[in-house]
Amino acid sequence: MIDQRVIDRLKKKDEQAFEYVYQETKRGVYSMIFSVIKNHQVTEDIMQDVYMKMMTTISQYKKQTNFKNWIITIAKNQAIDYYRREKRIVHVDQTDYDNFLSSPEPTPDERNQFDLMIEMLSEDQRSVVILKIADEMKFKDIAKVLEKPIGTVIWLYQEAIKTLKRYEG
Amino acid sequence: MKTKDIKKIIKLNIESHLPKDAPQIDFLFERTETSIPNKVFHFNFKYAMSAVFAIFVVILGFALWPNNDIIPNPPAKLLNSNNEIVSFSAISSVSLLSTIGTNELISLQTDLVVIEKPDVITKVLPYLKSIEQLLLSDSGLNIVSGDSELPEYDYFMQFQTKNLAGISTWYVMHYNLDLQDEDDEESEYTITGILTLGSKTYHVTGEKKIEDDEEKVRFKAFYNDSNYVESLYKFENDKQVFEFKVIQNNLLASESKYEIKFEDEEVKVELSFKEGNNEGEYEFEYYTEDDIDLIKIEFETKLNSVNSSGEMIVQMIVDEITGNTRYLIYVDPDDGDGYEYETDEEDEEDEEDEEDEEDEENEEDEEDEEDEEDEEGEEDEE
């Protein structure tokens, strides 16, 4: 839980606080960027920009609001900016996966399944599903970050799961 | 593919690509972005004079208006006719009958059986269906009446309700009507009959009385003589009020009250209930977001000596293959983390057939059920 004391320390550029905030928010930030960009390598690059942006704009963070939602919103905007700059969807290259070695490693079959599965979803569905499943975000928070009504978010999730259930991998 | 496999693949893939270490950031950098100050409002004489003039015109308009006596409009009612009041009494009573939990009544229970749900949901589910129908009846219930085809009864009344998914349910009531008795000046009419919903039939009685210049409609729906639901309709403090008592084995099992607020074509229903030491208040409101029909519920409860409050959002999910429906309920407590809950599917068309075919369905849908259990388990953990 990121409370005001952590944020105050972050404002003073406390490295321990930064590390703590990173570990607490990285899943959400990564999920948000990846759902827009669909490329793991680029997602990691944008992640750096997001945390840099977080540090430079920390004075704009409003007290009593959800910090995690705030940084995921930054991630969303950074990803959209990147997407617009590139003006094209970057497709996943299989070699990207080899650059990342961490545990537990998905099997090659699971990688292919994942790529095919996310291609079946619209961008909105992808954002909701990945934030919900990978980061276990609440629908209410996803709705705030994506600036969509909660009913729409729940519906997008249901529709996405329904679509993915049809996948015969 | 099963839901749990979908979740596993997505989670594993994202997790495996997450950078472990935080990015290297130069903490000595000086550049910071500060928020843009809000625009300052500058006094503008032209706008100020326009505002003063507009206020003057409004005041003058009121002063010169010919009808100085303001006659308040009669309070708007959602249910306007006796037929509508009796119909809604019947719908709610039958809905609550299914909450009676005696062993002999288990076969009667359908969609409202709730097991291991969070308390705040368990308590509201028995009322949700009837209040949903009420909220969606802002232009009144669709009622057809006429002579009964059954020899035991003189009249019939058929009324239609709709749920959040727009699916209709028809209730049919066959009844005999006794008009005011000369010896009983207070009673306007009594009815006795049967109410049919799908393949189920309930005995019902009703009575309209004028007590202390107040109109009251009583209604009872029976499973048997010792298990029934009694409702009382009255109009008090400009609100239409329904009070319910669930009688189980001749003992009062629960009491509840609906207060209907109907203003500017918008319906709000306040539910209060008391069940032993448990009590609670829920306020229901229907709204749409992006063409999705939802119900918002604000709640304050005291259940098992624990106070809680917050908000729920209810959406109806329809299985596109079977047409069965279930509620997806998002609960946002004031003092804790939010969570979601899905009810079991219900087949509104023919509940009895569903029970008969339960074994077959269990075999066929074993995988799907496992999925749902997994999901429920995960939501509970959450």
Side-chain angles (χ1 to χ4, degrees):
Chain A
M1 184 71 186
I2 300 165
D3 60 21
Q4 193 55 44
R5 283 173 303 178
V6 176
I7 294 160
D8 290 341
R9 284 174 61 187
L10 205 58
K11 284 180 179 172
K12 291 174 188 163
K13 302 181 173 59
D14 180 314
E15 286 190 46
Q16 274 187 332
F18 178 77
E19 178 67 29
Y20 177 76
V21 167
Y22 174 76
Q23 296 300 339
E24 288 288 306
T25 58
K26 65 179 181 181
R27 272 173 198 79
V29 168
Y30 193 95
S31 301
M32 185 69 249
I33 301 167
F34 182 79
S35 66
V36 177
I37 304 297
K38 295 194 287 180
N39 179 299
H40 289 294
Q41 179 67 62
V42 177
T43 297
E44 195 179 348
D45 293 342
I46 296 175
M47 250 182 124
Q48 294 225 2
D49 298 342
V50 169
Y51 284 97
M52 179 63 86
K53 180 97 178 166
M54 176 190 82
M55 291 306 294
T56 56
T57 58
I58 187 74
S59 59
Q60 292 176 22
Y61 167 72
K62 288 178 192 161
K63 281 184 182 179
Q64 312 295 335
T65 57
N66 187 316
F67 184 84
K68 194 174 163 188
N69 286 357
W70 181 70
I71 189 172
I72 294 174
T73 305
I74 293 176
K76 181 186 76 171
N77 294 334
Q78 291 285 103
I80 291 170
D81 283 351
Y82 175 88
Y83 181 82
R84 284 181 184 152
R85 271 202 311 272
E86 295 297 307
K87 289 192 175 171
R88 65 188 173 88
I89 299 169
V90 182
H91 294 285
V92 175
D93 183 344
Q94 188 61 40
T95 55
D96 286 342
Y97 292 111
D98 301 331
N99 297 327
F100 299 92
L101 289 172
S102 55
S103 184
E105 182 75 4
T107 64
D109 279 350
E110 283 169 341
R111 287 174 185 164
N112 289 334
Q113 278 182 326
F114 179 77
D115 295 342
L116 293 168
M117 281 162 61
I118 60 164
E119 286 297 337
M120 294 168 74
L121 306 177
S122 69
E123 187 183 317
D124 282 342
Q125 287 177 334
R126 212 162 48 233
S127 300
V128 174
V129 161
I130 296 178
L131 287 170
K132 180 71 192 163
I133 294 174
D135 191 40
E136 296 176 6
M137 269 179 86
K138 295 170 202 158
F139 284 131
K140 192 176 99 176
D141 290 330
I142 297 173
K144 278 185 187 156
V145 168
L146 299 182
E147 295 174 87
K148 290 187 185 301
I150 189 168
T152 308
V153 168
I154 295 170
W155 180 78
L156 283 166
Y157 180 78
Q158 295 293 332
E159 289 298 303
I161 294 293
K162 212 186 288 176
T163 304
L164 294 175
K165 275 184 174 177
R166 283 191 224 116
Y167 172 74
E168 301 289 341
Chain B
M1 182 180 278
K2 294 179 189 176
T3 309
K4 67 177 177 187
D5 293 330
I6 294 168
K7 288 182 176 179
K8 186 182 156 197
I9 290 167
I10 291 174
K11 197 160 184 136
L12 203 59
N13 196 286
I14 295 293
E15 199 69 35
S16 69
H17 289 93
L18 273 178
K20 274 185 185 169
D21 301 321
Q24 295 299 310
I25 289 178
D26 180 5
F27 283 92
L28 297 175
F29 63 82
E30 290 296 323
R31 188 176 67 90
T32 54
E33 293 174 21
T34 51
S35 46
I36 301 162
N38 290 332
K39 283 184 183 174
V40 178
F41 175 76
H42 295 285
F43 180 77
N44 184 317
F45 183 75
K46 193 171 81 177
Y47 290 143
M49 287 309 293
S50 303
V52 169
F53 181 71
I55 293 165
F56 174 75
V57 169
V58 170
I59 293 168
L60 193 68
F62 272 108
L64 298 177
W65 195 255
N67 284 327
N68 284 331
D69 294 336
I70 298 168
I71 302 164
N73 289 324
K77 292 179 180 178
L78 178 66
L79 305 172
N80 286 296
S81 68
N82 280 326
N83 278 359
E84 284 186 317
I85 291 163
V86 169
S87 302
F88 184 69
S89 301
I91 293 165
S92 306
S93 302
V94 165
S95 191
L96 283 175
L97 256 190
S98 63
T99 65
I100 295 178
T102 57
N103 287 335
E104 64 175 331
L105 291 180
I106 282 174
S107 62
L108 195 75
Q109 299 185 357
T110 55
D111 53 309
L112 299 174
V113 177
V114 283
I115 301 162
E116 293 178 3
K117 290 182 175 67
D119 279 346
V120 73
I121 293 180
T122 308
K123 297 301 174 196
V124 77
L125 272 182
Y127 306 99
L128 184 54
K129 194 171 176 179
S130 60
I131 293 179
E132 172 192 5
Q133 290 166 334
L134 189 59
L135 290 172
L136 294 170
S137 303
D138 56 349
S139 53
L141 294 166
N142 183 9
I143 300 174
V144 180
S145 56
D147 294 334
S148 172
E149 75 233 11
L150 301 179
E152 311 94 292
Y153 301 105
D154 297 330
Y155 309 102
F156 90 97
M157 187 156 64
Q158 195 175 6
F159 34 97
Q160 180 193 31
T161 62
K162 279 189 178 174
N163 64 17
L164 278 177
I167 298 168
S168 294
T169 303
W170 284 96
Y171 295 75
V172 184
M173 192 164 80
H174 296 272
Y175 62 99
N176 292 321
L177 179 70
D178 291 323
L179 291 171
Q180 185 179 341
D181 194 318
E182 285 180 5
D183 298 334
D184 187 359
E185 292 176 2
E186 286 187 334
S187 180
E188 284 199 0
Y189 63 75
T190 56
I191 57 174
T192 48
I194 54 167
L195 177 75
T196 306
L197 170 63
S199 55
K200 293 189 169 60
T201 300
Y202 306 90
H203 284 279
V204 295
T205 62
E207 179 187 36
K208 181 178 174 184
K209 269 191 170 186
I210 308 294
E211 290 177 2
D212 304 325
D213 294 331
E214 230 185 297
E215 177 185 306
K216 291 182 177 173
V217 177
R218 291 179 198 279
F219 192 88
K220 282 185 185 177
F222 294 87
Y223 178 71
N224 56 33
D225 287 346
S226 50
N227 293 283
Y228 57 91
V229 173
E230 184 180 340
S231 75
L232 169 65
Y233 164 83
K234 54 190 176 182
F235 188 70
E236 64 179 21
N237 301 326
D238 293 345
K239 286 180 194 165
Q240 292 186 292
V241 177
F242 287 88
E243 291 176 354
F244 298 95
K245 288 180 182 172
V246 177
I247 308 294
Q248 192 174 346
N249 298 324
N250 286 322
L251 296 171
L252 179 65
S254 69
E255 283 180 286
S256 54
K257 183 160 95 170
Y258 296 176
E259 287 188 13
I260 304 168
K261 290 182 194 170
F262 186 51
E263 287 173 4
D264 302 326
E265 304 292 311
E266 284 187 2
V267 189
K268 279 186 185 175
V269 180
E270 285 178 4
L271 157 72
S272 51
F273 77 88
K274 189 158 174 58
E275 189 185 302
N277 292 326
N278 294 326
E279 56 189 42
E281 289 181 5
Y282 295 75
E283 186 175 285
F284 298 71
E285 190 177 0
Y286 162 75
Y287 71 110
T288 56
E289 270 182 4
D290 286 357
D291 294 332
I292 299 167
D293 295 302
L294 302 165
I295 292 174
K296 185 173 84 176
I297 306 172
E298 288 175 16
F299 65 89
E300 268 188 51
T301 56
K302 187 179 178 184
L303 306 173
N304 303 318
S305 305
V306 178
N307 290 314
S308 82
S309 61
E311 193 177 292
M312 296 184 204
I313 291 171
V314 182
Q315 185 181 2
M316 183 164 271
I317 310 288
V318 184
D319 187 304
E320 57 184 12
I321 298 165
T322 62
N324 293 346
T325 57
R326 64 187 191 279
Y327 291 115
L328 174 63
I329 303 173
Y330 175 79
V331 185
D332 185 17
D334 288 338
D335 56 354
D337 289 340
Y339 55 91
E340 287 109 28
Y341 194 86
E342 274 188 41
T343 60
D344 295 333
E345 283 195 355
E346 64 171 274
D347 180 352
E348 299 199 22
E349 293 299 316
D350 197 339
E351 292 155 351
E352 203 166 72
D353 286 350
E354 185 185 45
E355 284 164 17
D356 291 341
E357 293 163 8
E358 201 177 354
D359 289 342
E360 284 175 40
E361 282 177 6
N362 281 345
E363 286 167 20
E364 287 170 10
D365 299 339
E366 201 177 346
E367 286 190 357
D368 286 340
E369 281 176 15
E370 277 175 21
D371 277 1
E372 280 165 20
E373 279 169 18
D374 288 338
E375 282 176 45
E376 283 174 17
E378 284 174 29
E379 300 296 356
D380 287 343
E381 281 170 25
E382 194 178 336

